[in-house]
PDB file of all heavy atoms in Angstrom:
ATOM      1  N   GLY A   1       0.279   5.374 -11.303  1.00 94.00           N
ATOM      2  CA  GLY A   1      -0.436   6.491 -10.693  1.00 94.00           C
ATOM      3  C   GLY A   1       0.345   7.728 -10.708  1.00 94.00           C
ATOM      4  O   GLY A   1       1.356   7.859 -11.411  1.00 94.00           O
ATOM      5  N   ASP A   2      -0.032   8.639  -9.844  1.00 91.00           N
ATOM      6  CA  ASP A   2       0.677   9.939  -9.715  1.00 91.00           C
ATOM      7  C   ASP A   2       0.780  10.318  -8.199  1.00 91.00           C
ATOM      8  O   ASP A   2      -0.303  10.583  -7.645  1.00 91.00           O
ATOM      9  CB  ASP A   2      -0.021  11.068 -10.512  1.00 91.00           C
ATOM     10  CG  ASP A   2       0.699  12.360 -10.551  1.00 91.00           C
ATOM     11  OD1 ASP A   2       1.778  12.457  -9.819  1.00 91.00           O
ATOM     12  OD2 ASP A   2       0.246  13.278 -11.223  1.00 91.00           O
ATOM     13  N   ILE A   3       1.977  10.323  -7.667  1.00 91.00           N
ATOM     14  CA  ILE A   3       2.051  10.597  -6.194  1.00 91.00           C
ATOM     15  C   ILE A   3       1.783  12.036  -5.851  1.00 91.00           C
ATOM     16  O   ILE A   3       1.538  12.378  -4.684  1.00 91.00           O
ATOM     17  CB  ILE A   3       3.430  10.145  -5.657  1.00 91.00           C
ATOM     18  CG1 ILE A   3       4.532  11.018  -6.202  1.00 91.00           C
ATOM     19  CG2 ILE A   3       3.685   8.689  -5.860  1.00 91.00           C
ATOM     20  CD1 ILE A   3       5.855  10.771  -5.506  1.00 91.00           C
ATOM     21  N   SER A   4       1.813  12.942  -6.889  1.00 89.00           N
ATOM     22  CA  SER A   4       1.508  14.333  -6.578  1.00 89.00           C
ATOM     23  C   SER A   4       0.011  14.519  -6.081  1.00 89.00           C
ATOM     24  O   SER A   4      -0.279  15.497  -5.482  1.00 89.00           O
ATOM     25  CB  SER A   4       1.796  15.214  -7.785  1.00 89.00           C
ATOM     26  OG  SER A   4       0.901  14.872  -8.876  1.00 89.00           O
ATOM     27  N   ASN A   5      -0.799  13.527  -6.485  1.00 86.00           N
ATOM     28  CA  ASN A   5      -2.209  13.577  -6.025  1.00 86.00           C
ATOM     29  C   ASN A   5      -2.451  12.866  -4.694  1.00 86.00           C
ATOM     30  O   ASN A   5      -3.525  12.896  -4.214  1.00 86.00           O
ATOM     31  CB  ASN A   5      -3.089  12.887  -7.108  1.00 86.00           C
ATOM     32  CG  ASN A   5      -3.039  13.637  -8.423  1.00 86.00           C
ATOM     33  OD1 ASN A   5      -2.947  14.892  -8.453  1.00 86.00           O
ATOM     34  ND2 ASN A   5      -3.101  12.948  -9.532  1.00 86.00           N
ATOM     35  N   LEU A   6      -1.417  12.223  -4.169  1.00 91.00           N
ATOM     36  CA  LEU A   6      -1.528  11.466  -2.923  1.00 91.00           C
ATOM     37  C   LEU A   6      -1.541  12.431  -1.774  1.00 91.00           C
ATOM     38  O   LEU A   6      -0.781  13.414  -1.730  1.00 91.00           O
ATOM     39  CB  LEU A   6      -0.472  10.452  -2.771  1.00 91.00           C
ATOM     40  CG  LEU A   6      -0.567   9.109  -3.544  1.00 91.00           C
ATOM     41  CD1 LEU A   6       0.607   8.261  -3.204  1.00 91.00           C
ATOM     42  CD2 LEU A   6      -1.839   8.396  -3.176  1.00 91.00           C
ATOM     43  N   ARG A   7      -2.346  12.149  -0.769  1.00 95.00           N
ATOM     44  CA  ARG A   7      -2.268  12.899   0.499  1.00 95.00           C
ATOM     45  C   ARG A   7      -1.942  12.001   1.647  1.00 95.00           C
ATOM     46  O   ARG A   7      -2.213  10.796   1.589  1.00 95.00           O
ATOM     47  CB  ARG A   7      -3.651  13.545   0.743  1.00 95.00           C
ATOM     48  CG  ARG A   7      -4.177  14.517  -0.345  1.00 95.00           C
ATOM     49  CD  ARG A   7      -5.557  14.967  -0.031  1.00 95.00           C
ATOM     50  NE  ARG A   7      -6.469  13.835   0.080  1.00 95.00           N
ATOM     51  CZ  ARG A   7      -7.714  13.972   0.570  1.00 95.00           C
ATOM     52  NH1 ARG A   7      -8.107  15.126   1.094  1.00 95.00           N
ATOM     53  NH2 ARG A   7      -8.498  12.926   0.607  1.00 95.00           N
ATOM     54  N   VAL A   8      -1.348  12.570   2.683  1.00 95.00           N
ATOM     55  CA  VAL A   8      -1.161  11.804   3.926  1.00 95.00           C
ATOM     56  C   VAL A   8      -2.465  11.347   4.476  1.00 95.00           C
ATOM     57  O   VAL A   8      -3.402  12.148   4.600  1.00 95.00           O
ATOM     58  CB  VAL A   8      -0.373  12.646   4.954  1.00 95.00           C
ATOM     59  CG1 VAL A   8      -0.288  11.925   6.275  1.00 95.00           C
ATOM     60  CG2 VAL A   8       1.066  12.977   4.413  1.00 95.00           C
ATOM     61  N   GLY A   9      -2.619  10.055   4.690  1.00 94.00           N
ATOM     62  CA  GLY A   9      -3.846   9.491   5.143  1.00 94.00           C
ATOM     63  C   GLY A   9      -4.601   8.709   4.078  1.00 94.00           C
ATOM     64  O   GLY A   9      -5.538   7.989   4.375  1.00 94.00           O
ATOM     65  N   ASP A  10      -4.197   8.851   2.774  1.00 95.00           N
ATOM     66  CA  ASP A  10      -4.830   8.057   1.730  1.00 95.00           C
ATOM     67  C   ASP A  10      -4.523   6.591   1.878  1.00 95.00           C
ATOM     68  O   ASP A  10      -3.402   6.228   2.267  1.00 95.00           O
ATOM     69  CB  ASP A  10      -4.349   8.547   0.361  1.00 95.00           C
ATOM     70  CG  ASP A  10      -5.044   9.774  -0.130  1.00 95.00           C
ATOM     71  OD1 ASP A  10      -6.056  10.142   0.467  1.00 95.00           O
ATOM     72  OD2 ASP A  10      -4.524  10.439  -1.110  1.00 95.00           O
ATOM     73  N   TRP A  11      -5.464   5.749   1.489  1.00 95.00           N
ATOM     74  CA  TRP A  11      -5.322   4.308   1.585  1.00 95.00           C
ATOM     75  C   TRP A  11      -4.412   3.799   0.461  1.00 95.00           C
ATOM     76  O   TRP A  11      -4.486   4.307  -0.727  1.00 95.00           O
ATOM     77  CB  TRP A  11      -6.670   3.579   1.448  1.00 95.00           C
ATOM     78  CG  TRP A  11      -7.544   3.703   2.669  1.00 95.00           C
ATOM     79  CD1 TRP A  11      -8.537   4.616   2.874  1.00 95.00           C
ATOM     80  CD2 TRP A  11      -7.535   2.893   3.816  1.00 95.00           C
ATOM     81  NE1 TRP A  11      -9.079   4.404   4.133  1.00 95.00           N
ATOM     82  CE2 TRP A  11      -8.458   3.331   4.697  1.00 95.00           C
ATOM     83  CE3 TRP A  11      -6.674   1.790   4.187  1.00 95.00           C
ATOM     84  CZ2 TRP A  11      -8.738   2.753   5.941  1.00 95.00           C
ATOM     85  CZ3 TRP A  11      -6.979   1.182   5.418  1.00 95.00           C
ATOM     86  CH2 TRP A  11      -7.925   1.663   6.289  1.00 95.00           C
ATOM     87  N   VAL A  12      -3.567   2.823   0.836  1.00 96.00           N
ATOM     88  CA  VAL A  12      -2.728   2.194  -0.171  1.00 96.00           C
ATOM     89  C   VAL A  12      -2.617   0.677   0.182  1.00 96.00           C
ATOM     90  O   VAL A  12      -2.917   0.288   1.324  1.00 96.00           O
ATOM     91  CB  VAL A  12      -1.312   2.780  -0.233  1.00 96.00           C
ATOM     92  CG1 VAL A  12      -1.246   4.088  -0.913  1.00 96.00           C
ATOM     93  CG2 VAL A  12      -0.661   2.851   1.175  1.00 96.00           C
ATOM     94  N   VAL A  13      -2.269  -0.120  -0.809  1.00 96.00           N
ATOM     95  CA  VAL A  13      -2.156  -1.581  -0.599  1.00 96.00           C
ATOM     96  C   VAL A  13      -0.773  -2.069  -1.122  1.00 96.00           C
ATOM     97  O   VAL A  13      -0.412  -1.684  -2.243  1.00 96.00           O
ATOM     98  CB  VAL A  13      -3.264  -2.375  -1.329  1.00 96.00           C
ATOM     99  CG1 VAL A  13      -3.152  -3.831  -1.065  1.00 96.00           C
ATOM    100  CG2 VAL A  13      -4.662  -1.863  -0.905  1.00 96.00           C
ATOM    101  N   ALA A  14      -0.073  -2.804  -0.317  1.00 96.00           N
ATOM    102  CA  ALA A  14       1.273  -3.325  -0.734  1.00 96.00           C
ATOM    103  C   ALA A  14       0.991  -4.835  -1.050  1.00 96.00           C
ATOM    104  O   ALA A  14       0.431  -5.608  -0.240  1.00 96.00           O
ATOM    105  CB  ALA A  14       2.262  -3.199   0.398  1.00 96.00           C
ATOM    106  N   ILE A  15       1.397  -5.243  -2.239  1.00 96.00           N
ATOM    107  CA  ILE A  15       1.188  -6.626  -2.677  1.00 96.00           C
ATOM    108  C   ILE A  15       2.555  -7.168  -3.072  1.00 96.00           C
ATOM    109  O   ILE A  15       3.302  -6.575  -3.857  1.00 96.00           O
ATOM    110  CB  ILE A  15       0.234  -6.691  -3.843  1.00 96.00           C
ATOM    111  CG1 ILE A  15      -1.082  -5.997  -3.484  1.00 96.00           C
ATOM    112  CG2 ILE A  15      -0.035  -8.158  -4.271  1.00 96.00           C
ATOM    113  CD1 ILE A  15      -2.167  -6.062  -4.549  1.00 96.00           C
ATOM    114  N   GLY A  16       2.931  -8.363  -2.539  1.00 95.00           N
ATOM    115  CA  GLY A  16       4.190  -8.963  -2.871  1.00 95.00           C
ATOM    116  C   GLY A  16       4.391 -10.337  -2.252  1.00 95.00           C
ATOM    117  O   GLY A  16       3.477 -10.878  -1.521  1.00 95.00           O
ATOM    118  N   ASN A  17       5.566 -10.917  -2.539  1.00 94.00           N
ATOM    119  CA  ASN A  17       5.943 -12.248  -2.143  1.00 94.00           C
ATOM    120  C   ASN A  17       6.501 -12.234  -0.733  1.00 94.00           C
ATOM    121  O   ASN A  17       7.659 -12.541  -0.517  1.00 94.00           O
ATOM    122  CB  ASN A  17       6.902 -12.824  -3.157  1.00 94.00           C
ATOM    123  CG  ASN A  17       7.318 -14.210  -2.894  1.00 94.00           C
ATOM    124  OD1 ASN A  17       6.596 -15.010  -2.248  1.00 94.00           O
ATOM    125  ND2 ASN A  17       8.539 -14.568  -3.344  1.00 94.00           N
ATOM    126  N   ALA A  18       5.712 -11.845   0.231  1.00 90.00           N
ATOM    127  CA  ALA A  18       6.203 -11.691   1.603  1.00 90.00           C
ATOM    128  C   ALA A  18       6.747 -12.942   2.200  1.00 90.00           C
ATOM    129  O   ALA A  18       6.084 -14.026   2.076  1.00 90.00           O
ATOM    130  CB  ALA A  18       5.062 -11.161   2.534  1.00 90.00           C
ATOM    131  N   LEU A  19       7.977 -12.888   2.683  1.00 88.00           N
ATOM    132  CA  LEU A  19       8.656 -14.076   3.309  1.00 88.00           C
ATOM    133  C   LEU A  19       8.849 -15.234   2.301  1.00 88.00           C
ATOM    134  O   LEU A  19       9.114 -16.372   2.750  1.00 88.00           O
ATOM    135  CB  LEU A  19       7.869 -14.585   4.550  1.00 88.00           C
ATOM    136  CG  LEU A  19       7.586 -13.521   5.678  1.00 88.00           C
ATOM    137  CD1 LEU A  19       6.793 -14.112   6.805  1.00 88.00           C
ATOM    138  CD2 LEU A  19       8.917 -12.928   6.170  1.00 88.00           C
ATOM    139  N   GLY A  20       8.648 -14.921   1.047  1.00 87.00           N
ATOM    140  CA  GLY A  20       8.856 -15.946   0.034  1.00 87.00           C
ATOM    141  C   GLY A  20       7.792 -17.037   0.078  1.00 87.00           C
ATOM    142  O   GLY A  20       7.963 -18.134  -0.441  1.00 87.00           O
ATOM    143  N   GLN A  21       6.629 -16.718   0.648  1.00 88.00           N
ATOM    144  CA  GLN A  21       5.583 -17.693   0.851  1.00 88.00           C
ATOM    145  C   GLN A  21       4.340 -17.427  -0.106  1.00 88.00           C
ATOM    146  O   GLN A  21       3.270 -17.919   0.161  1.00 88.00           O
ATOM    147  CB  GLN A  21       5.120 -17.689   2.311  1.00 88.00           C
ATOM    148  CG  GLN A  21       6.164 -18.126   3.248  1.00 88.00           C
ATOM    149  CD  GLN A  21       5.741 -18.073   4.720  1.00 88.00           C
ATOM    150  OE1 GLN A  21       4.596 -17.829   5.005  1.00 88.00           O
ATOM    151  NE2 GLN A  21       6.643 -18.403   5.631  1.00 88.00           N
ATOM    152  N   GLY A  22       4.581 -16.707  -1.146  1.00 90.00           N
ATOM    153  CA  GLY A  22       3.494 -16.456  -2.105  1.00 90.00           C
ATOM    154  C   GLY A  22       3.006 -15.011  -1.995  1.00 90.00           C
ATOM    155  O   GLY A  22       3.229 -14.337  -1.050  1.00 90.00           O
ATOM    156  N   ILE A  23       2.254 -14.629  -3.036  1.00 94.00           N
ATOM    157  CA  ILE A  23       1.742 -13.295  -3.138  1.00 94.00           C
ATOM    158  C   ILE A  23       0.642 -13.048  -2.081  1.00 94.00           C
ATOM    159  O   ILE A  23      -0.327 -13.789  -2.009  1.00 94.00           O
ATOM    160  CB  ILE A  23       1.188 -13.019  -4.532  1.00 94.00           C
ATOM    161  CG1 ILE A  23       2.272 -13.317  -5.616  1.00 94.00           C
ATOM    162  CG2 ILE A  23       0.768 -11.544  -4.645  1.00 94.00           C
ATOM    163  CD1 ILE A  23       3.557 -12.500  -5.463  1.00 94.00           C
ATOM    164  N   ARG A  24       0.819 -11.979  -1.343  1.00 93.00           N
ATOM    165  CA  ARG A  24      -0.177 -11.583  -0.337  1.00 93.00           C
ATOM    166  C   ARG A  24      -0.288 -10.073  -0.294  1.00 93.00           C
ATOM    167  O   ARG A  24       0.597  -9.375  -0.795  1.00 93.00           O
ATOM    168  CB  ARG A  24       0.140 -12.205   1.046  1.00 93.00           C
ATOM    169  CG  ARG A  24       1.490 -11.705   1.577  1.00 93.00           C
ATOM    170  CD  ARG A  24       1.835 -12.408   2.894  1.00 93.00           C
ATOM    171  NE  ARG A  24       2.045 -13.836   2.699  1.00 93.00           N
ATOM    172  CZ  ARG A  24       2.195 -14.742   3.623  1.00 93.00           C
ATOM    173  NH1 ARG A  24       2.113 -14.312   4.909  1.00 93.00           N
ATOM    174  NH2 ARG A  24       2.416 -15.969   3.371  1.00 93.00           N
ATOM    175  N   ALA A  25      -1.324  -9.618   0.339  1.00 95.00           N
ATOM    176  CA  ALA A  25      -1.589  -8.152   0.381  1.00 95.00           C
ATOM    177  C   ALA A  25      -1.702  -7.638   1.793  1.00 95.00           C
ATOM    178  O   ALA A  25      -2.136  -8.342   2.693  1.00 95.00           O
ATOM    179  CB  ALA A  25      -2.904  -7.848  -0.344  1.00 95.00           C
ATOM    180  N   THR A  26      -1.176  -6.409   2.024  1.00 94.00           N
ATOM    181  CA  THR A  26      -1.368  -5.701   3.279  1.00 94.00           C
ATOM    182  C   THR A  26      -1.829  -4.295   2.983  1.00 94.00           C
ATOM    183  O   THR A  26      -1.415  -3.727   1.978  1.00 94.00           O
ATOM    184  CB  THR A  26      -0.053  -5.674   4.107  1.00 94.00           C
ATOM    185  OG1 THR A  26       0.977  -5.088   3.296  1.00 94.00           O
ATOM    186  CG2 THR A  26       0.357  -7.044   4.498  1.00 94.00           C
ATOM    187  N   GLU A  27      -2.662  -3.780   3.807  1.00 94.00           N
ATOM    188  CA  GLU A  27      -3.179  -2.429   3.632  1.00 94.00           C
ATOM    189  C   GLU A  27      -2.643  -1.487   4.612  1.00 94.00           C
ATOM    190  O   GLU A  27      -2.177  -1.841   5.695  1.00 94.00           O
ATOM    191  CB  GLU A  27      -4.730  -2.472   3.656  1.00 94.00           C
ATOM    192  CG  GLU A  27      -5.373  -2.072   4.966  1.00 94.00           C
ATOM    193  CD  GLU A  27      -5.084  -3.050   6.111  1.00 94.00           C
ATOM    194  OE1 GLU A  27      -4.749  -4.211   5.779  1.00 94.00           O
ATOM    195  OE2 GLU A  27      -5.168  -2.675   7.254  1.00 94.00           O
ATOM    196  N   GLY A  28      -2.698  -0.186   4.307  1.00 94.00           N
ATOM    197  CA  GLY A  28      -2.276   0.867   5.222  1.00 94.00           C
ATOM    198  C   GLY A  28      -2.598   2.221   4.605  1.00 94.00           C
ATOM    199  O   GLY A  28      -3.395   2.290   3.674  1.00 94.00           O
ATOM    200  N   ILE A  29      -1.936   3.219   5.170  1.00 95.00           N
ATOM    201  CA  ILE A  29      -2.184   4.635   4.625  1.00 95.00           C
ATOM    202  C   ILE A  29      -0.844   5.207   4.241  1.00 95.00           C
ATOM    203  O   ILE A  29       0.259   4.682   4.607  1.00 95.00           O
ATOM    204  CB  ILE A  29      -2.865   5.477   5.666  1.00 95.00           C
ATOM    205  CG1 ILE A  29      -2.060   5.620   6.947  1.00 95.00           C
ATOM    206  CG2 ILE A  29      -4.280   4.955   6.016  1.00 95.00           C
ATOM    207  CD1 ILE A  29      -2.527   6.681   7.858  1.00 95.00           C
ATOM    208  N   ILE A  30      -0.876   6.309   3.588  1.00 95.00           N
ATOM    209  CA  ILE A  30       0.332   7.131   3.356  1.00 95.00           C
ATOM    210  C   ILE A  30       0.634   7.904   4.643  1.00 95.00           C
ATOM    211  O   ILE A  30      -0.222   8.672   5.135  1.00 95.00           O
ATOM    212  CB  ILE A  30       0.100   8.150   2.173  1.00 95.00           C
ATOM    213  CG1 ILE A  30      -0.154   7.396   0.917  1.00 95.00           C
ATOM    214  CG2 ILE A  30       1.360   9.053   2.067  1.00 95.00           C
ATOM    215  CD1 ILE A  30       0.951   6.518   0.370  1.00 95.00           C
ATOM    216  N   SER A  31       1.801   7.637   5.241  1.00 94.00           N
ATOM    217  CA  SER A  31       2.157   8.322   6.461  1.00 94.00           C
ATOM    218  C   SER A  31       2.951   9.601   6.213  1.00 94.00           C
ATOM    219  O   SER A  31       2.775  10.530   6.962  1.00 94.00           O
ATOM    220  CB  SER A  31       3.007   7.325   7.356  1.00 94.00           C
ATOM    221  OG  SER A  31       2.304   6.124   7.568  1.00 94.00           O
TER     222      SER A  31
END
């Protein structure tokens, strides 16, 4: 993507191997 187009408050999703227990997703915004 391009972070120059991101605004504070835009939705984003973090996806990864949290706690080593497999791939999972969490959502939030750009702070």
Side-chain angles (χ1 to χ4, degrees):
D2 185 356
I3 66 171
S4 63
N5 297 325
L6 282 180
R7 300 175 301 166
V8 172
D10 279 346
W11 287 95
V12 286
V13 182
I15 305 179
N17 182 26
L19 304 177
Q21 297 180 2
I23 305 302
R24 61 184 66 187
T26 56
E27 98 293 338
I29 63 168
I30 299 295
S31 303

